Amino acid sequence: MNRFGKLALTAALGVGLLAAPVLAQGERQRDEITVTKRAQSGSDADKTIARAQAVTQVIEDILKDWSFSAIRGEQRKKLIHNIFDILRGEKFKERRGKWRYTAKVSMSEARNRVLDALDVQNTFGADQCIVVVHPDVCKVPGLDADEQKALYTQVLAGVSDYLNKHRFREAPAAGQKEQMLRAALELGANATTQQMHEFAAANNAPIVVTVPTGKIKMEPAKGAQARINQGFLRCMGIRGKVYDKNTDTVLGQFALSSSMNKTNETQATFEEMHISWVGKGDSRSMVAERYANRVGYWIGANVCRRLFDRFYAMQPQPQPSAGSSGPRDCPGCGDKIVDNALKECPACESPLPAATGGGGAAAPAGRRVPTARDYYQLRLKDWDDTEVQEIVEAVQEALGDDGANFQDKGVVKIFYIYRFSYVGKEMITTLIREALEDSDFKDSAKITKTGNNINIIKNR
């Protein structure tokens, strides 16, 4: 792998943890999660597949599926087996004619195993990244100069926290804020490739990221909201550019803005952040500092994603050999298997479908790919941990094969949050009510639905 490939692979690790719960500072987050996978039968083969699917879910929650699919060969095998080693409380049992595999795993331990397996430090070596944010991004009307400087510090802190947490080296050190401020002013809002090259050389930084434009804005509350809120914070037109000195090219660009439809930071994505309301009794500067830190977080996430996008695009995909029927998808980890002679997946040891003529195993038919409207948030309130797990298992069983992509999003304020997709034809609330009818909670659960949020609240 060339120097750039090594750099980008390491940068990709920053992207991975976006799939993990994105929670505000100070809010609680459950580290240990339970993963559940269905099996076609109680056979050893189906148990192996379900176990591999559970581990793949954990890895994809850390790396996202598009990055995991780029990891191949012995490195992929090592990564999967590192997670096999930390599964706890594994169970494979039958319930009402259906088989299910469950296991518990510590996500923090899993993240460290993922980073260790990819040998981040040696892959990245001595290369460093410098991120330059223009101070105009933080000039929020209504805040004085010191408060705006605090916002600037928080944006840079958010970037640094994200990169450093995932073992990505940053230069200069996060504490050198004044140096970063001068650098931003020197580069200006329209830095040329030549200016970025000279800046990278002067600071001995192979990768330079500039965020020259955009605003964090405070909008006044209107109508009914004005009775309880001063207004809301949002980001507008924040744009970044990722430059590689060694190839003297711009590797990628990104844009970040806020969506009025997103009022909780767990809804934020690479392109769209949430808005943040400032209550009547809130300190505007304190809420703004917290919001600025999240802006920095997503800038850091975009930096890593753009580097990985470039790396991923350069990776060769497995190609069938002469006479091959085409790649088969491993039913456990989803790897592409191009060798017709293989009976089990080299990475996760799942038994493989038989190779067939004309392109390998047929793709499952009948279910469409979920779109954005097919994703739901299950929000549970006033239940203890054991009750939450039992309810979630009952919901998963009721959804059957029409439900997928279950993610434990942790605890946000007073709610346990789970995200999932559902592509069935029955009403989602009907299925959930039927699921709880067969449980011990049918008389104590109040179920409501607002948009794609489904609330299950315990009656006191």
Side-chain angles (χ1 to χ4, degrees), residues 386-397:
T386 301
E387 292 171 331
V388 166
Q389 189 57 47
E390 291 178 6
I391 291 172
V392 170
E393 288 180 4
V395 169
Q396 287 182 287
E397 187 165 333

Side-chain angles (χ1 to χ4, degrees), residues 33-345:
I33 67 166
T34 299
V35 283
T36 301
K37 290 297 173 183
R38 295 176 178 276
Q40 295 297 317
S41 72
S43 69
D44 289 342
D46 282 340
K47 179 181 179 181
T48 300
I49 291 171
R51 191 171 188 248
Q53 290 174 341
V55 167
T56 300
Q57 176 184 318
V58 171
I59 296 172
E60 289 181 350
D61 279 355
I62 294 171
L63 288 180
K64 282 294 189 184
D65 54 0
W66 47 266
S67 60
F68 180 48
S69 65
I71 302 167
R72 316 213 61 82
E74 286 300 312
Q75 196 173 47
R76 185 183 183 94
K77 180 178 180 179
K78 180 181 178 182
L79 183 53
I80 289 174
H81 281 259
N82 270 7
I83 307 302
F84 277 151
D85 290 345
I86 62 173
L87 295 174
R88 294 189 296 275
E90 293 181 89
K91 296 178 183 178
F92 188 60
K93 59 183 182 180
E94 182 267 344
R95 183 182 179 188
R96 289 186 291 192
K98 297 178 181 179
W99 285 87
R100 183 173 59 194
Y101 170 87
T102 61
K104 296 183 183 298
V105 64
S106 162
M107 288 303 288
S108 60
E109 190 175 0
R111 290 183 194 106
N112 284 327
R113 291 286 184 122
V114 167
L115 296 175
D116 289 344
L118 295 178
D119 200 13
V120 175
Q121 292 88 337
N122 290 333
T123 302
F124 189 54
D127 292 337
Q128 294 180 316
C129 169
I130 185 167
V131 182
V132 179
V133 180
H134 200 279
D136 283 354
V137 172
C138 302
K139 289 186 176 179
V140 178
L143 299 183
D144 62 31
D146 287 341
E147 290 172 330
Q148 289 176 350
K149 184 178 287 188
L151 294 195
Y152 184 74
T153 298
Q154 283 299 318
V155 170
L156 296 183
V159 175
S160 298
D161 289 348
Y162 186 92
L163 298 179
N164 295 338
K165 181 178 179 181
H166 308 316
R167 305 181 186 177
F168 193 98
R169 295 187 63 194
E170 187 184 14
Q176 297 174 270
K177 305 302 181 186
E178 292 302 322
Q179 181 178 341
M180 294 298 294
L181 180 58
R182 289 195 299 272
L185 294 172
E186 287 173 10
L187 284 176
N190 297 294
T192 65
T193 301
Q194 179 61 32
Q195 286 174 310
M196 295 179 74
H197 181 85
E198 292 172 356
F199 179 77
N203 288 276
N204 193 30
I207 298 292
V208 173
V209 181
T210 60
V211 183
T213 59
K215 294 281 186 185
I216 298 174
K217 294 195 69 175
M218 175 76 179
E219 302 281 3
K222 296 179 180 179
Q225 285 289 350
R227 292 196 296 268
I228 57 174
N229 291 304
Q230 302 177 48
F232 62 89
L233 290 153
R234 64 169 170 159
C235 63
M236 297 177 59
I238 292 179
R239 296 186 178 276
K241 185 183 298 184
V242 183
Y243 169 82
D244 177 46
K245 178 172 71 68
N246 292 331
T247 59
D248 194 27
T249 56
V250 173
L251 303 179
Q253 301 186 59
F254 60 88
L256 188 62
S257 59
S258 292
S259 168
M260 294 297 295
N261 295 323
K262 296 179 179 180
T263 57
N264 188 298
E265 57 196 55
T266 61
Q267 300 171 309
T269 65
F270 287 106
E271 294 84 17
E272 287 188 338
M273 282 190 63
H274 60 295
I275 63 171
S276 183
W277 286 100
V278 183
K280 286 288 189 183
D282 292 340
S283 164
R284 182 179 298 190
S285 61
M286 289 183 65
V287 177
E289 284 185 37
R290 173 170 158 164
Y291 191 74
N293 187 273
R294 303 311 295 171
V295 171
Y297 176 99
W298 284 104
I299 289 173
N302 270 288
V303 169
C304 292
R305 188 188 192 194
R306 290 304 174 271
L307 288 171
F308 188 83
D309 281 348
R310 180 65 175 258
F311 167 75
Y312 178 65
M314 294 168 63
Q315 299 311 295
Q317 294 299 309
Q319 298 297 323
S321 57
S324 170
S325 62
R328 292 173 287 167
D329 289 340
C330 169
C333 69
D335 199 10
K336 297 289 185 184
I337 310 298
V338 297
D339 186 345
N340 281 354
L342 291 177
K343 303 293 186 184
E344 66 177 34
C345 174

